[in-house]
Amino acid sequence: MNRRWLGWAALGLAVAATVAFVPPLLLPGEGGSAGLSPAPPSPSAFWVSLHAADEANLRSGARAIDCASCDGGRRVGYIGGPNTLAIRVAGVPTAGERTLLIVYETQDPRTLKVAVGDGPVHALSLAGAGDYLIPARTSLTVFVPAGTSWIRFFNDAGDAPDINRIELR
């Protein structure tokens, strides 16, 4: 009987501690009994994840390739020389510097050039994971104007890595 009483006491203590130290869960649109409401998003808060193989993107010579290990099951390859990829980013609330994360695949070291709209060209020397089936990631800071813009991926001097997806934060 003592063991059972100890078990119930421990459970009661755990529930009391949880109530005392864990804030209540408030779902969007609920005021909750605590009178808390979610903070409004910052006007500059913006995050988007886009797949390179999306049909809305512009590919000049580059083409979508099936890829079992890629997000979304496809990536865009054959970028380089005259072949380019441009990914449309819409709904950016305010202009400013953002972090661009690029998920790519390459077997050999390659150079990737990136430009947002008519902005400066960023040249990245990427080694990758040494295999087209192993995604790698890199990031850089870019200036993104408010509204809609295009992020171009190219290498006019040689082959570029394949692009799987991007995130813009």
Side-chain angles (χ1 to χ4, degrees), residues 9-20:
L11 178 61
L13 186 59
V15 169
T18 301
V19 169

Side-chain angles (χ1 to χ4, degrees), residues 6 40 57 59 61 67 74 78 85 91 93-94 105-106 111 126 135 139 146 155 162-163 168:
L6 285 174
N57 298 330
R59 295 187 296 270
C67 172
R74 296 174 66 172
Y78 302 96
L85 165 67
T94 57
E105 293 81 21
T106 186
T111 298
L126 303 173
S139 63
N155 182 357
D162 294 355
I163 306 297
L168 191 61

Side-chain angles (χ1 to χ4, degrees), residues 2-12:
N2 266 346
R3 288 181 68 200
R4 183 176 290 176
W5 183 84
L6 285 174
W8 284 108
L11 178 61

Side-chain angles (χ1 to χ4, degrees), residues 58 62 76 79-87 100 102 104 109-117 119-126 138-142 150-163 166:
L58 299 177
V76 173
I79 300 169
N83 302 341
T84 63
L85 165 67
I87 298 177
L100 174 63
I102 304 166
Y104 67 96
R110 294 192 174 184
T111 298
L112 177 65
K113 294 182 180 179
V114 180
V116 179
V121 174
H122 303 270
L124 307 172
S125 296
L126 303 173
T138 191
S139 63
L140 69 148
T141 301
V142 294
W150 291 87
I151 301 176
R152 295 179 298 124
F153 300 90
F154 61 101
N155 182 357
D156 47 2
D159 293 332
D162 294 355
I163 306 297
I166 65 166

Side-chain angles (χ1 to χ4, degrees), residues 31-132:
S33 60
L36 301 175
S37 61
S42 162
S44 63
F46 179 78
W47 180 86
V48 66
S49 178
L50 300 166
H51 285 277
D54 188 302
E55 294 300 324
N57 298 330
L58 299 177
R59 295 187 296 270
S60 175
R63 58 183 184 253
I65 302 166
D66 289 336
C67 172
S69 61
C70 295
D71 292 341
R74 296 174 66 172
R75 66 180 187 243
V76 173
Y78 302 96
I79 300 169
N83 302 341
T84 63
L85 165 67
I87 298 177
R88 181 177 179 259
V89 178
V92 177
T94 57
E97 289 194 341
R98 312 257 182 212
T99 299
L100 174 63
L101 171 77
I102 304 166
V103 180
Y104 67 96
E105 293 81 21
T106 186
Q107 184 169 340
D108 302 312
R110 294 192 174 184
T111 298
L112 177 65
K113 294 182 180 179
V114 180
V116 179
D118 294 328
V121 174
H122 303 270
L124 307 172
S125 296
L126 303 173
D131 192 322
Y132 280 102

